[in-house]
Amino acid sequence: MVGSREESRRRTTAAILAAARTAIAQHGAAGLSMRAIARDVGLVSSAVYRYFPTRDALLTTMIIESYGNLAGALAAASEEAADWRAPGRALRDWARSVPHEFQLIYGTPIPGYRAPPETIPAAAAVVAPFLAVAGGATPAAFSGSMIEAQLQPLADDLPGANPAGVAAVVTELAALVGFVGLELAGHFVGVAEPGDALYEAMLERQVGSLGLA
Amino acid sequence: MVGSREESRRRTTAAILAAARTAIAQHGAAGLSMRAIARDVGLVSSAVYRYFPTRDALLTTMIIESYGNLAGALAAASEEAADWRAPGRALRDWARSVPHEFQLIYGTPIPGYRAPPETIPAAAAVVAPFLAVAGGATPAAFSGSMIEAQLQPLADDLPGANPAGVAAVVTELAALVGFVGLELAGHFVGVAEPGDALYEAMLERQVGSLGLA
DNA sequence: TGTACATCAGTGAACGCGCGTTCACTGATGTAC
DNA sequence: TGTACATCAGTGAACGCGCGTTCACTGATGTAC
């Protein structure tokens, strides 16, 4: 049967990735174990190496996939409403639905792991929906010459964007990531839980700061 | 010699904590190993248990110490200038000087570790300097009834504070933590590195949003 | 001051467990003639 | 269509290493009389 080998490879690869996601949810990315994955999938530990040559290669695939999943969720939300709030809400929703994937890409770096260059475009795809809606903003606080010098080359590559807008988008996205990260880690327990209202207020503040109101 | 036993206990405890800090800098908090610490300090592995009954107890002590170190740095900065920017800058400076301590308290939660209640006041001490300077703000975006209901009890305990101000401070602090966390993780490489100008612009934006200009 | 006793820091062996990666191999699937 | 050969998924054993925690113990330090 032509293609059965190919098909089975696809299935096993998917099973390994699924097992790996379950594993990091329980033991963190640093505790990801090739042997535990093999056990889960029903393979002998060495067989996993037919699919991923090292543990780090498996991590890289997972990271790129997670960036892609998030970017997809954001793009879908942006399509429904050309608004800063739409991808903003989608970011938090996605993070809460797969918290370990969020931590994998935005959490503490994994000791001993160096992200290869392939992860860069995947990471950039997350920023794109936010830049599309606010890259052209000109908020006063970000209009310094230092920032212009740093971000002009990046803004030149984005139609309709300018350095101050890119700078503002980057910091506001960092703000959202910070909020969600602290919320997932339980820092808001006893302070503002659930964080829904606070997050909405933050989005409102951002819309104002970016001059999108 | 009276007190020599006490003194040696203090020294060994400090040596263990110092070795533990070095260890998490290299292998992350999840990889903290009692045996590695023992080796570093020059003890047999079981001896460490005379000082910390479990690995989790050691982690708790480290976490509380790190909150304390950060809170101290922020309070010192706030004393020199009663300004939002002073503790803001001190937060980033501290994080960059001891990145693993920052990740220990604000990074991805350590799998299998549950922070005990003793860590709560230590964590709160970090927020205090920011609340002191901006807890009385009344930014429009945070003046919803939902937020008021959630944060009124907390604001009541803080002289001069109001719910909208507390809400704004919490989200703006989350924004700073988010920025610094992403910067430490290398997410700004090739985008805005060094992040000095961007961080200053963000502080400027915050001062404006909080109505402290 | 001197002696008997209690405290406790540190030892070393052991328990039962985990890991990433390599290697020579078997046997099924796929391909070329 | 049938046969010879190549590919490659999966095996099982091995390498050399790590871990947290418990326990009975030795011997030095500190205390009470």
Side-chain angles (χ1 to χ4, degrees), chain A:
Chain A
M1 200 194 293
V2 175
S4 117
R5 194 133 88 178
E6 212 172 332
E7 178 52 31
S8 120
R9 175 159 255 272
R10 226 192 315 274
R11 266 208 312 273
T12 307
T13 305
I16 288 170
L17 284 166
R21 297 225 173 277
T22 307
I24 63 164
Q26 290 181 329
H27 307 105
L32 185 68
S33 151
M34 298 295 262
R35 300 184 95 113
I37 289 164
R39 253 177 269 129
D40 255 41
V41 175
L43 285 176
V44 102
S45 68
S46 54
V48 178
Y49 289 82
R50 298 268 167 220
Y51 297 86
F52 296 95
T54 61
R55 199 187 79 118
D56 281 8
L58 173 56
L59 276 170
T60 297
T61 301
M62 293 173 74
I63 288 167
I64 289 171
E65 268 198 10
S66 288
Y67 275 128
N69 292 342
L70 171 56
L74 298 184
S78 283
E79 258 174 49
E80 302 211 348
D83 180 33
W84 175 265
R85 280 163 279 231
R89 290 184 190 120
L91 174 74
R92 178 162 175 263
D93 291 343
W94 180 82
R96 280 151 55 95
S97 73
V98 282
H100 47 281
E101 288 196 48
F102 175 87
Q103 300 286 16
L104 179 65
I105 56 183
Y106 293 123
T108 307
I110 303 155
Y113 173 81
R114 296 282 321 155
E118 305 100 88
T119 57
I120 295 175
V126 169
V127 194
F130 292 99
L131 279 173
V133 78
T138 53
F142 294 92
S143 300
S145 60
M146 212 87 157
I147 283 176
E148 264 165 43
Q150 267 190 320
L151 295 178
Q152 189 72 61
L154 223 152
D156 284 346
D157 287 347
L158 299 159
N162 62 285
V166 173
V169 166
V170 168
T171 60
E172 295 298 10
L173 182 49
L176 295 180
V177 167
F179 185 105
V180 171
L182 290 181
E183 188 183 16
L184 289 182
H187 278 86
F188 290 169
V189 176
V191 181
E193 254 235 323
D196 302 46
L198 203 55
Y199 194 75
E200 279 301 318
M202 190 189 200
L203 288 175
E204 220 51 56
R205 196 275 302 150
Q206 293 187 325
V207 166
S209 296
L210 292 164
L212 305 169

Side-chain angles (χ1 to χ4, degrees), chain B residues 58-149:
Chain B
L58 173 56
L59 276 171
T60 297
T61 301
M62 293 173 74
I63 287 166
I64 290 172
E65 268 198 11
S66 287
Y67 275 128
N69 292 343
L70 171 56
L74 299 184
S78 283
E79 259 175 47
E80 302 209 350
D83 179 33
W84 174 267
R85 281 164 277 231
R89 290 184 189 119
L91 173 74
R92 179 163 176 262
D93 290 344
W94 181 82
R96 281 153 55 95
S97 74
V98 282
H100 46 282
E101 289 198 47
F102 176 87
Q103 299 286 18
L104 179 65
I105 56 183
Y106 293 123
T108 308
I110 303 156
Y113 173 80
R114 296 281 323 153
E118 305 101 87
T119 57
I120 295 175
V126 169
V127 193
F130 292 99
L131 279 173
V133 79
T138 53
F142 294 92
S143 300
S145 59
M146 212 86 157
I147 284 176
E148 263 165 43

